[in-house]
Amino acid sequence: MPQQIPIVDYLVLSEPPHLEAHACTGCDALYFDRRNACAHCGGTEFTRKPLSNEGRVRAYTIVHRAAPSVPAPYTSVVVDLDDGGVVKANLLDVTGPEHIEPGMPVRLGTYVAGVDDDGVEAVAFGYRRQEDAA
């Protein structure tokens, strides 16, 4: 298997792959980026918290115009994760509005976004309808 690296530092490529957030130890607020202080309570201590791979679509939009190297159309979703947390990502393999609705259950999926000259694969994530992810 080729060497793989996550495209973002909060994607963990263990088995199964999952997202991890920085959780404030004072109030459990979740952040994907590094923080010096919690925006909710002002706390300064954080732990890493694995997030659920499943959630529900809160909102979506279908993007028809993108940078030249990005295939369009694609569907961008906001997902409320089971067990807490919210993430914005793309809905994988679905572009038609007839297949998408708010509240639809989704599951994390990963894919190879690119390969460098040394054969190292950059792995990205998105979400699939749960019926497609099984």
Side-chain angles (χ1 to χ4, degrees):
M1 182 166 121
Q3 180 184 0
Q4 295 184 322
I5 59 170
I7 203 160
V8 291
D9 67 353
Y10 50 89
L11 173 60
V12 179
L13 297 179
S14 62
E15 193 52 48
H18 63 279
L19 303 180
E20 278 190 356
H22 296 279
C24 174
T25 58
C27 69
D28 208 33
L30 300 174
Y31 303 97
F32 286 114
D33 58 342
R34 190 188 73 77
R35 295 287 173 125
N36 290 329
C38 176
H40 185 257
C41 75
T44 58
E45 293 192 27
F46 298 85
T47 60
R48 298 284 286 182
K49 179 180 180 179
L51 300 178
S52 176
N53 281 344
E54 298 179 352
R56 297 193 173 272
V57 171
R58 176 192 296 185
Y60 72 93
T61 189
I62 298 173
V63 179
H64 291 275
R65 297 180 69 181
S69 63
V70 177
Y74 64 89
T75 304
S76 180
V77 293
V78 175
V79 176
D80 289 318
L81 299 174
D82 296 352
D83 303 334
V86 178
V87 63
K88 185 229 166 265
N90 290 342
L91 191 59
L92 304 175
D93 307 324
V94 177
T95 56
E98 66 276 8
H99 302 290
I100 309 163
E101 61 185 58
M104 178 178 73
V106 292
R107 180 175 292 133
L108 182 81
T110 59
Y111 61 96
V112 175
V115 181
D116 71 11
D117 292 341
D118 296 323
V120 178
E121 297 177 340
V123 178
F125 74 94
Y127 287 85
R128 289 187 171 84
R129 294 181 304 169
Q130 284 210 22
E131 62 199 45
D132 295 340

